[in-house]
Structures are given as C-alpha cells and as structure tokens.
Amino acid sequence: MATTKQTTFSSNLGVIMAAVGSAVGLGNIWRFPYTCGKYGGGAFLIVYLCFVFLLGATLMMSEFVIGRRTQHTPVKAFQSLHPKRAWGAVGLLGLITSFFILSQYLVLSGWTTNYVWDAITGTLASLGTDAGNISNYFAAFSTSGSRPVITLIVFSIICLVIILCGVQKGIENVSKVLMPFLVLLVLVLCVRSLTLPGAGKGLEYLFSPDFSKLTGEGVLAALGQALFSLSVGMGVMIVYGSYMPLNDNIFKTAMWITACDTLIAVLAGVAIFPAVFSCGFDPAGGPGLVFCVLPNVFNTMGGAGVIFSTLFFLLLVVAAMTSAISLLEALTAALHEHTSMGRTFSAVLFFLLSTALGVLFAMSVGPLSHITVGHAHLTLFDFVDRLNSIYLPPICSLLTIIFFGWFMTEKDVKDELSNHGTVKIGYYRLFRLLSRYVAPLALLLVLITGIF
Ligand code: PHE
C-alpha cells in the first residue's frame, strides 16, 4: 500500500520531538492550568487523564496509522483507504479546522511575543504589583490593534522561515533544540514556584480533587482539552504520521508523546499555581491568568522577577511556535500534494491567508469588536475560540475514529501497527475496542451534550 516518498523525519527521536512540539503548546501552558483549577483540580485531572490515555492516544495512533499507511496528506489519505472518495471530506474538514486553529493561535502567539519583549525591556516590571494596573495594561494592549498585529506578523514570519527550511532541517531540528529547552524552562519555573512561601496551597488547589466543582461542562472541557492538547482530529498527526520512518513503533511513539504532553501540562500547573497562591492572587483568573495575573506574580519577586517573567513568556512562545509550525506544515503539505504548486509557494500562500485571518481576529478584540456573531454577540475572536474548542475538533475526531474503526480494513490497521508483523501488538484487542466502540460513543455523547 505504501509508496516511498522523499519526506520523512530522520529518526524516531525526530518524530517524537516534532509531535511533542505540536502537542505541547498554549493548550498546555495557557489553557490547561486555569481549566484544571476551574473544574475541581484533581477531579478534573483524573477525568482528563482518562480521556487523554484512552481516547486521545487512540486517536493519535489512528492518525499515525492512516498517515503512514498511505504516505499521503489527509484528503488523499482517506480517499486512498476507501473506494468511496467522499471520505476525503473528513480530511478536508480536518484541514479547515487546522486553518482556523492556526489563525486564532497566531493571535495568542502574537500577544505572547509582545510579552517577551515587554518582559525583557522592563515594561512589565514597571507596572508594579497593582493588579488593576496590569489588567489595564493588558486590556489596552490587546485592544490597541497595532501592536498585537505587528507581533502576530513577526511570529508568523518566524514560523514560515522554519517551514521553508524543510521537514528535517526546519521542523525536526528546531523541535530537537526547542523542546529540551522548553522542559528546562518549565523545570526552572517549577523550582522557583515551589520554593516560594505558602506554595503548598497552590499544589493543593491543583491536585486535591473537588468533585463538587466537576460539572458536566467540566467533563466536556476535559475532552475538548484532551483532543486539542494532543493535536488530534485536525489532520496534523496524519501528516506527521506520513513522515514517520517505516520501522517506528506507532504504539510506543504515541505513548511517549501522550505522556510528555500530559507531564508538561501538569508541570505548567505546578509552575503557575504555587506562585499565584504564594503572592495572594486569585487563581480563578481564567484566560487572563497568564497575561494579567502572572506578570503581577513576577513583579512581587523583585529583581529576579524580570528574569523569571522573560523565561516564562519565552517558554510560552517556544511552545506556541512548534505547534503553529505543525499546523502550517499540515496545510502546506496538503496543498503541495494536491496541486502543482511547490512547497515554498504553498507555505507562503497559507502563511499569508492565516496571517490575514489572524489579523482580523486580533482586531476583533479591539477596533473591530463591534462586529459580532449570533445571539450571544460573540466577537469574531470569541466565536472562533468556541468553534475551535467545542465543535470542530470533536466532530473531526469522531469522523476520523469512525472511519478508522469501521471502514479501514483490519489488515491495513494490523499491518501498520505491527510494522508488517515484525512488532508485537498485544494491546490490539483493547485498542480495537477503544477505536470501534468506546471512542466513537464517548465523542458522540460529548458532542451531543456540548451542542444541546
Ligand atoms: N496541541 C496544541 C496545544 O496544546 C494545539 C494544536 C492543536 C496544535 C492542533 C496543532 C494542532 O496548544
């Protein structure tokens, strides 16, 4: 079935680094901690872990199988595995989702890039420890229009350059350097946070299970977060699967990626909450936790605060960059495969399109906030945030897993998981159960609850 193709990652380590790079992103460091805190700490964590290891890892393995088996990008991958070409629509939906996520991601990444600059130049430090001051600063910055747009463009240009360097020289090499650096940064921040007086309260908030706070909405959020965090349901892992060396063990690779992604999310919580509690701030800061509460926390640390805030926002930029690259790569590779356009042209085209849409979303927080969608009068940014977190990834994941579980031949699946019979697949029956029944039913249930 597989045809030989030029582009691959050079080694298993390269695959793991690039895929962990895609998985570890703003979802881990910006969204996971505040979502976990909001929905009952340890209680949310238990549900999240179940979703991640049972559903998320199953989906990741399925996407790797689909990608590596076919050596194609999503649309062609689905089409080549089934005579009904309409299945290609699932791949297309995944790519559309990737495009929307990338455009929204660029906005947040632009904010983060701006904060790195503000941390280095001492602007954040000059705001002092007045919570109002810092929130006003964030509000003024994010609604200003010009600076969010400039930093967004700077960030996207860096991503484009990495993509243009190629899969091995660009994505793989950058991930191999940035991922260990990211782990180091998060560990340094954890040590700092844990050695602050009263840090224990933050750990308690994060880990002690409060089941009374774990609502149905919390369970939904846990699933959405699990899919988003593992970068599944958008075709990205299908593309990365197609770059995976043929002798890599798909199960082991997926487990490593899932474990690393989860560990980094938890470590981000450990780096953030003890510091927030120690400095007496509100841990339920929601999405603003990172941009409004943390600068305050850093400013209470005196001179060292400048170093730690720079490190923290750098961590966030690094995490965001390897994720944005994976999204841009999926789109680039797909267009390149489907048309006669070269890789460079495809990358530049999607860079331009996603940056333009990103600019529109960035402006919708400020100068264009009067443009709203639906009865709830959501700004374009909030609308796309909802689309990206509640609807699109679960829908794409559901369709992907139904295809994988019910429409792919058992031979294709077994052959690919076992590397043509050379690797043991003792987990196969459990995996089949998960991919045919548990994952589709759970996703369907969550989607129906989410929509109604
Ligand atoms: N997994 C990334 C994060 O946690 C986001 C992402 C989603 C990246 C989908 C690529 C594809 O932030």
Side-chain angles (χ1 to χ4, degrees), residues 22-28 101 105 228-231 234 236 323 326-327:
S22 170
V24 173
L26 297 172
N28 300 60
I101 292 190
Y105 219 79
F228 185 83
S229 191
L230 290 181
S231 305
M234 295 136 215
V236 169
S323 297
S326 71
L327 290 158

Side-chain angles (χ1 to χ4, degrees), residues 252-333:
K252 278 196 188 152
T253 307
M255 285 304 139
W256 269 108
I257 299 164
T258 309
C260 289
D261 182 62
T262 311
L263 189 69
I264 291 178
V266 173
L267 285 178
V270 172
I272 292 173
F273 283 111
V276 168
F277 272 86
S278 169
C279 302
F281 292 110
D282 176 14
L289 188 70
V290 158
F291 296 106
C292 299
V293 178
L294 284 187
N296 219 333
V297 170
F298 293 127
N299 287 351
T300 56
M301 295 177 184
V306 174
I307 299 173
F308 285 109
S309 67
T310 307
L311 288 181
F312 178 80
F313 287 108
L314 205 58
L315 166 75
L316 214 53
V317 167
V318 167
M321 191 161 288
T322 44
S323 297
I325 290 172
S326 71
L327 290 158
L328 187 57
E329 172 62 26
L331 295 162
T332 301

Side-chain angles (χ1 to χ4, degrees), residues 100 104 361 364 372-374 378-389 391:
F100 279 121
Q104 184 207 9
F361 292 149
S364 80
T372 57
V373 184
L378 297 173
T379 61
L380 290 177
F381 181 82
D382 289 337
F383 173 70
V384 76
D385 184 47
R386 197 169 272 201
L387 212 60
N388 288 345
S389 56
Y391 300 110

